[in-house]
Amino acid sequence: MRVYQTNEIKNIALLGSAGSGKTTLAESMLYEAGIIKRRGTVEGKNTVSDYFPVELEYGYSVFPTVFHVEWNNKKLNIIDCPGSDDFVGGAITSLNVTDQAVIVINGQHGPEVGTQNNFRYAEKLRKPVIFLINQLDSEKCDFDNIINTMKDIYGSKCVQIQYPLQTGPNFNSLIDVLIMKKLTWGPNGGEPKREDIPAEEMDKAMELHKALVEAAAENDEALMEKFFENDTLSEDEMREGIRKGLVACGIYPVFCVSALRDMGVQRLMEFLGNVVPFVSEMPKVRNSRGEEVETKSEGPGSLYFFKTGMEPHIGEVSYFKVMSGTVKVGDDLTNANRGSKERIGQIYACAGANRIAVDQLNAGDIGCTVKLKDVKTGNTLNSKDVDFHFDFIKYPNSKYSRAIKTENAQDMEKLMTALLKMHQEDPTWVVEQSKELRQTIVHGQGEFHLRTLKWRLENNEKLSITFSEPKIPYRETITKKAKAEYRHKKQSGGAGQFGEVHLIVEPYAEGMPDPTNYSFGGQEYKMNIKSKEEKDLPWGGKLVFINSVVGGAIDLRFMPAILKGVMDCMERGPLTGSYARDVRVVVFDGKMHPVDSNELSFTLAARHAFSDAFKEAGPKILEPIYDLEVYVPSDYMGDVMSDLQGRRAIIMGMDAEAGYQKLSAKIPLKELANYSVALSSLTGGRASFSTKFASYELVPNDLQQKLIADHEAEMAAEED
């Protein structure tokens, strides 16, 4: 394989909803380019893209697959992305390191929620978009309706390049209004027969051709002038206009294909090779300091590692993009993130599970290597005297969480090592060691996302693990003031323990004046404040601790111990063992012993006094509330709303957005535990959602009583 220059390289992300046919399309592209001799199928489990055991097990793409084709003396690096919303991390990664998005649309359903998600990601990253309507050979394909829907969603930027003469099982021809030819295929697809457009189609073809000419001219002043003069453009001029329109994200060309029957694939690749912008024509990337980095081979050498794969018999495979300069076999580079040195022993052009050894890759190219010592996903390797660092990939918040543990406690260390390794492969698998919940929690994008993680741990790592619903990070607070005292006394020969603490607790709100007096049971307690500490709690809220002890009842040296006792209770609240917040504690009296008093005595006394007072102060449990956005087809709106109302959600609003409904709600985290499964079941996998923490709110009284009872039962079980 020859070395391609930057102006000969194009990087393309292949996106689309699950079931749109991306993997099948990838097979046809590889076949047409001569990379493979026989097209595999998803059903046959022999495709280039889906080759990991977990993908073969479930029949779904789990990881983005990098491959290349050589076409008309150009190199097209293509990343086939998983379609399921559960594996959105792969799509986001791929869009960040490519320059063009090809979004595949299922000809049976038209644009779906997943299509919209992919488009939003591409739009946000300013990536050109080509739409590809697949499965035109399906009986359920309604091409005209799909086009009308796309025009409604994407507006005038959505411009047809092709349209089929018929859809369904007899699909075998289409009209291409860029080259103004009829393309016809035999039963095995491949190279089409090019014919003149039939007379009965000429009016429609000319109308679409004119719309395409206008769209191409809009992106270049010189072309616009030619168009006004001649009322048309040459084919080459149109290609130039479309290319500039793609760079500016001013045009979304629409192509037609039957990937399964290899019809239209060759023409698509022709367009990708001839029209789609090269790496060198795209806007410059910025490093972490905000500096523009030119994609040129003469520049300083810098590689960005965007993907790590663990492959059988090989081990760790590291995928990179050459951001600047060149990389050659034997190059010594420095890791900008970790400070370590690396030598590039091998370089490969990617072809799914296969790799083609090369000696050099130039700026803008994508490749992979093996046997690096200390390179993780997201790291940058630089040549000598280069200090580039790239960190441009941002992933969405997790949507689904499970507490994880091994059936054999001795395997926990092995589990953590495996989880760390898997996070490198897919950064949207997030591992959390929760001190608050006393659980190891894995977060992901959905139930299926975490199911694949579990499958790999059990089958690849041979670990027996269990998933359970994570505990909820409740918060405890109080609603009124209360007073309590506690004496800790222990005598067992020699020095004993003695400490007595009298304190008052009350709810705290920002800006409250300092207390001057309290009244309990008709008795007045005047406060003489000696010192005050305000602690911003790591888990949110505040603790205000006031020393109002007079007459030397408790030595000043014991105040830190009393504060510690209070903080111990705040960290493990009296009601449910959750964090407490927004409390003011006033220590106003107590007793000590000249011999037996020590720090431990006062810590224990404070702990008991605070717990007793807290329980008398109208204690309340707060639960985390999340902002929820659901994107759902209109047909399923009623079912989704009914389900949300059964989950204690408050509907905040509804909007029509790009052919779909966007539902906004506030919902307790407790009710989100299995929401991804329920939503998928309700909508046949055609809806998606996102969440964001909003606030803590009071739980209903009946739920509070249940939570307290459950905690008491749990504590009793621990003591037994």
Side-chain angles (χ1 to χ4, degrees), residues 501-628:
V501 174
H502 300 205
L503 54 76
I504 295 167
V505 301
E506 64 181 332
Y508 175 78
E510 204 68 46
M512 278 177 66
D514 291 339
T516 55
N517 66 293
Y518 293 98
S519 178
F520 292 97
Q523 187 177 346
E524 290 284 326
Y525 297 86
K526 288 190 176 180
M527 298 295 113
N528 184 6
I529 299 175
K530 303 289 186 179
S531 63
K532 182 172 82 170
E533 289 187 57
E534 289 191 15
K535 288 192 169 292
D536 289 312
L537 302 169
W539 50 87
K542 273 193 175 181
L543 167 67
V544 177
F545 182 80
I546 293 176
N547 172 15
S548 188
V549 177
V550 295
I554 303 174
D555 269 3
L556 198 60
R557 63 191 170 98
F558 292 128
M559 280 298 152
I562 296 172
L563 175 58
K564 181 180 183 304
V566 170
M567 279 298 297
D568 287 348
C569 259
M570 295 283 287
E571 283 198 27
R572 197 160 185 178
L575 304 183
T576 62
S578 307
Y579 290 144
R581 57 178 284 169
D582 301 324
V583 179
R584 181 157 70 186
V585 178
V586 183
V587 181
F588 68 93
D589 202 0
K591 290 180 183 174
M592 60 181 181
H593 189 279
V595 177
D596 294 345
S597 286
N598 54 29
E599 280 83 358
L600 179 61
S601 303
F602 278 99
T603 296
L604 295 171
R607 192 184 295 172
H608 284 283
F610 178 84
S611 180
D612 292 346
F614 194 97
K615 290 174 182 176
E616 295 299 317
K620 291 291 182 182
I621 299 172
L622 306 171
E623 64 179 335
I625 305 295
Y626 276 66
D627 288 325
L628 171 70

